[in-house]
Amino acid sequence: MAKSTSNQLANQNYRAVITDGKYQLGPSASSDYTLSSTGNAFAFEDGLLRLSREVFPTDQYFLQEGQLIDSDTLTSWVGREDADNPEGLNPSIPIDSGGTDPETTSSDSETTVDNQSTSIEEATATSVLEDGQEVMVDAEGNIIDENAGIPDQVVTQVQSTPIYLSQILEKNIMVETEDGYQLAGIVLGLSMNSRYEYTDSEGVVYEEEISMGEMRERGRAYANIIVGRLRATEELRSIPILVGIYRQAPSDEIVGGTFVLDGISREGNAVSDWKELNEYRVALPMTDAGVEAEKYAYFDNFTKGIREFFPNLNGISGQVLYEDDQLKTLDIEIVTQFYQITEITALSQHVLDTAQRTLPENIEIEIKIVSNSDTEAYIGRNAGETEYQSHIFRQ
């Protein structure tokens, strides 16, 4: 028996479907194919839900974690295509003429060396000198060099074959009917790498950038393949399938990536109506803001206002999300050395005062005050609201 949660924390949240008294986890949540950073993991799911809300409003639909693509299938699809995994979406590794893996270094074929050695043995005989040393001699008895005519081993770096698809995230959109909750839509996120890293046999790490154009082309192709595979199931023939293509940020970047494309398949084996998305994230403070310094002056003013009151803070950092060049969200983290309740309370009150005075209106804002041990306080506001909510956590 299925039911939904009674409460909806905010308008942007779906109410969850509960089956037989339990929340059903999705295979992708426990998949070995994780994203390269915590920032990417958050941005991937958060962005996918934003895309979902545009097609499936939260006041009409409910959400269940993906149950259609099981763990084994997910692992297969995200893996490389080969004889053991014909459904792998990432390209197979080509094998060179010597039978070596192109993601490692290769050398001249041992077979050639062995053949040359055999030829020497056939034309020579073994002889033992007076000092007991065993050497090879030719038909006339002349000592020959066993390595003569055998080329030196040549190590060649062969171009890699990137892993393009790093993860598939599935959400099921449900609708309430007289017969209970039924599947009304499928939302899929395809996380695509922007950089591919691999290590050769000597332990040397190589990096290869994946262009935006190639990533988009492959993302659209993978989307069509996955939709076609899902459509093979009778009950999914006419279920709308929304697909978002996410460009994963490199693991050494502070902020996560963004979605670059989305499209929908209402029926048939292909995604149509592809739409290019203009999203980007910025880490604050910017080390070299240049001409954009004025654009982020609000963050500098906020930081200055906090530090003037509490000069011993360990750091204040933030990140913003833009959609179509419009500021949408602002997340700030304040790292403090304070632990006493009265200190945290005073800091939180001052942060709220300063946020109300300096930060932009009409956007979603989340401010966390953290120490070395835990999150100490939260101050935030939903988009379109004027009042902040705050909470100091009990230890």
Side-chain angles (χ1 to χ4, degrees):
M1 180 178 179
K3 64 178 183 178
S4 70
T5 53
S6 300
N7 293 302
Q8 187 176 14
L9 298 181
N11 291 335
Q12 67 263 33
N13 298 131
Y14 287 101
R15 282 186 287 168
V17 173
I18 309 297
T19 304
D20 296 329
K22 296 181 180 180
Y23 186 73
Q24 304 297 309
L25 299 178
S28 58
S30 58
S31 169
D32 291 335
Y33 292 92
T34 55
L35 277 73
S36 64
S37 67
T38 302
N40 273 310
F42 170 79
F44 185 33
E45 185 172 18
D46 180 65
L48 186 63
L49 290 173
R50 280 190 285 108
L51 298 181
S52 177
R53 289 192 291 265
E54 294 179 3
V55 179
F56 305 105
T58 59
D59 59 349
Q60 300 176 32
Y61 296 92
F62 302 81
L63 185 138
Q64 177 179 265
E65 300 296 342
Q67 303 296 311
L68 303 174
I69 306 175
D70 62 35
S71 181
D72 289 341
T73 300
L74 177 64
T75 300
S76 171
W77 289 1
V78 180
R80 288 191 184 275
E81 178 187 11
D82 57 29
D84 296 326
N85 186 34
E87 292 199 335
L89 293 172
N90 282 299
S92 60
I93 300 176
I95 304 299
D96 65 12
S97 58
T100 57
D101 187 333
E103 292 192 5
T104 62
T105 55
S106 61
S107 62
D108 285 346
S109 171
E110 294 181 1
T111 303
T112 303
V113 175
D114 290 341
N115 289 342
Q116 290 176 324
S117 298
T118 301
S119 299
I120 292 175
E121 291 176 0
E122 291 175 351
T124 59
T126 303
S127 177
V128 180
L129 300 179
E130 293 181 356
D131 60 3
Q133 181 181 5
E134 186 176 278
V135 297
M136 303 297 291
V137 296
D138 60 19
E140 286 77 28
N142 300 313
I143 298 175
I144 62 173
D145 184 356
E146 293 183 46
N147 294 321
I150 301 177
D152 294 334
Q153 288 186 332
V154 179
V155 177
T156 305
Q157 181 61 48
V158 182
Q159 185 175 358
S160 69
T161 303
I163 292 286
Y164 295 98
L165 177 65
S166 62
Q167 176 63 297
I168 301 172
L169 182 60
E170 176 198 351
K171 303 291 184 182
N172 294 158
I173 303 300
M174 313 295 287
V175 65
E176 187 176 12
T177 70
E178 294 180 354
D179 299 324
Y181 291 88
Q182 295 181 358
L183 183 67
I186 304 167
V187 180
L188 297 175
L190 307 187
S191 174
M192 308 293 291
N193 287 323
S194 59
R195 179 191 298 169
Y196 176 57
E197 298 181 358
Y198 65 96
T199 306
D200 69 11
S201 60
E202 303 298 325
V204 179
V205 178
Y206 295 87
E207 294 182 353
E208 180 177 342
E209 298 295 327
I210 299 175
S211 70
M212 180 69 78
E214 183 176 17
M215 187 218 67
R216 288 181 177 181
E217 181 180 350
R218 288 185 176 271
R220 284 191 290 256
Y222 293 156
N224 288 335
I225 294 172
I226 292 172
V227 167
R229 291 174 178 177
L230 292 175
R231 294 289 190 212
T233 304
E234 181 66 31
E235 56 267 29
L236 301 182
R237 293 284 172 83
S238 59
I239 296 293
I241 303 176
L242 174 68
V243 183
I245 307 298
Y246 174 82
R247 184 169 175 82
Q248 181 174 208
S251 58
D252 56 358
E253 291 191 5
I254 298 174
V255 297
T258 55
F259 279 84
V260 298
L261 288 170
D262 75 340
I264 191 166
S265 170
R266 299 195 180 277
E267 60 181 0
N269 294 344
V271 179
S272 59
D273 300 325
W274 283 107
K275 178 177 65 176
E276 294 200 9
L277 305 174
N278 178 23
E279 300 182 357
Y280 61 94
R281 296 180 185 273
V282 178
L284 300 173
M286 297 187 71
T287 56
D288 184 18
V291 295
E292 293 192 325
E294 185 176 349
K295 185 176 182 179
Y296 306 107
Y298 61 83
F299 183 80
D300 295 333
N301 293 335
F302 173 82
T303 301
K304 181 180 179 182
I306 302 301
R307 288 192 178 280
E308 286 178 348
F309 191 56
F310 287 93
N312 297 325
L313 298 174
N314 288 0
I316 302 176
S317 61
Q319 64 171 285
V320 290
L321 170 66
Y322 282 85
E323 297 178 26
D324 295 324
D325 294 324
Q326 298 296 313
L327 178 60
K328 291 296 183 180
T329 64
L330 168 62
D331 299 311
I332 297 175
E333 183 175 270
I334 301 172
V335 183
T336 177
Q337 303 175 41
F338 305 136
Y339 298 97
Q340 294 187 20
I341 295 175
T342 52
E343 293 175 332
I344 294 297
T345 301
L347 174 58
S348 300
Q349 291 170 342
H350 183 66
V351 167
L352 177 54
D353 291 342
T354 307
Q356 290 174 327
R357 187 176 66 254
T358 62
L359 297 182
E361 299 178 351
N362 301 319
I363 67 167
E364 183 177 349
I365 295 176
E366 181 176 286
I367 305 170
K368 290 188 293 184
I369 299 173
V370 302
S371 65
N372 291 333
S373 59
D374 211 339
T375 299
E376 305 291 345
Y378 161 83
I379 298 160
R381 184 191 70 195
N382 291 326
E385 296 182 356
T386 57
E387 297 295 324
Y388 282 83
Q389 304 295 320
S390 62
H391 182 74
I392 298 174
F393 294 96
R394 298 173 63 90
Q395 301 302 306

